[in-house]
Amino acid sequence: MIVAVDGPAASGKGTIARALARHFGLPHMDTGLLYRAVALNLLQWHGDPESEFAAARACDFAQVDFDDPELKTEAVGGIASRISAYPMVRAALVERQRAFARQPGGAVLDGRDIGTVIAPEAEVKLFVTAAPEVRARRRLDELLRMGRHAHYEDVLADIRARDERDSHRAAAPLVRAADAILLDTSALDAAAAAAAAIAAAEAKSA
Ligand code: C5P
């Protein structure tokens, strides 16, 4: 069974995807990490994020440590959101994601275009969302927990800018697939969101 979990930044889709993977005993891929790895390569190689060719050259995972905490920073996320608009970058990452989705037994993938582009055949599709203010508060708490300085207004502006870029790019924009179940986590904590997602996925796959 393939489970596709899409949604905007800090909607809770990562937590939900991990809970679904545990529940169904499936491997999980956070596809945002691939775009973040390209962004980090680009930063470390002093490449220009305005250049699609430079970004395409940075699609090299030979040296990438997917546990590197640098991948999770706002700076890397911001560049990831820019370079993910380039068709050459998206094309370079498609096969890795499709192969993961189509492994025997299935998988859970979370991202922006899993239910629409990577695995339109997924049996279960969730579109996870939450109000921008709630997502900004969550992201701020996360940053403060990591010991970083951040202000709510800046985080909210960043979330809105990312939503705008992810939703309005020409290549694989963030949209809800017609057959995706909508899950608004604005009023749910992590455990309640995971429980709601598991219930929806169980009902869909039954
Ligand atoms: O989900 P995360 O914030 O880690 O993703 C970083 C960026 O990568 C997003 O802002 C988005 O632009 C891009 N992305 C994407 N398609 C995916 C996953 C992430 O375009 N499937």
Side-chain angles (χ1 to χ4, degrees):
M1 176 171 77
I2 300 176
V3 181
V5 184
D6 290 305
S11 58
K13 64 182 187 307
T15 306
I16 284 173
R18 282 190 297 275
L20 287 167
R22 256 196 317 276
H23 179 79
F24 290 107
L26 293 171
H28 165 234
M29 178 185 261
D30 168 1
T31 64
L33 280 182
L34 299 177
Y35 293 90
R36 285 172 179 269
V38 175
L40 186 57
N41 274 344
L42 198 61
L43 260 180
Q44 289 172 342
W45 300 349
H46 304 291
D48 179 5
E50 297 301 316
S51 160
E52 181 166 359
F53 292 101
R57 272 197 299 278
C59 295
D60 173 353
F61 298 100
Q63 307 290 328
V64 173
D65 167 13
F66 285 103
D67 294 320
D68 184 345
E70 274 302 304
L71 290 173
K72 294 285 188 185
T73 62
E74 292 299 279
V76 168
I79 295 173
S81 141
R82 287 171 198 279
I83 56 93
S84 67
Y86 297 138
M88 283 169 73
V89 169
R90 303 204 73 84
L93 305 189
V94 160
E95 267 326 303
R96 179 181 276 260
Q97 297 171 78
R98 289 206 173 133
F100 191 88
R102 290 170 191 168
Q103 63 187 293
V108 180
L109 291 88
D110 73 84
R112 302 290 190 289
D113 62 340
I114 308 304
T116 49
V117 175
I118 301 300
E121 76 278 26
E123 287 86 347
V124 177
K125 297 182 188 179
L126 290 176
F127 193 83
V128 183
T129 180
E133 294 77 9
V134 174
R135 291 188 282 127
R137 179 62 58 192
R138 286 181 190 155
R139 182 51 58 88
L140 179 67
D141 291 346
E142 202 174 276
L143 289 169
L144 296 179
R145 266 202 308 277
M146 293 191 309
R148 296 184 190 263
H149 288 285
H151 296 285
Y152 173 77
E153 293 303 333
D154 294 336
V155 178
L156 179 60
D158 184 66
I159 291 253
R160 288 194 196 281
R162 255 215 264 168
D163 284 357
E164 178 70 20
R165 277 200 295 273
D166 288 351
S167 304
H168 293 103
R169 65 184 178 217
L174 171 67
V175 284
R176 177 186 169 194
D179 53 349
I181 302 160
L182 183 66
L183 180 57
D184 188 326
T185 66
S186 299
L188 304 178
D189 65 13
I198 289 169
E202 283 283 6
K204 186 76 205 256
S205 64

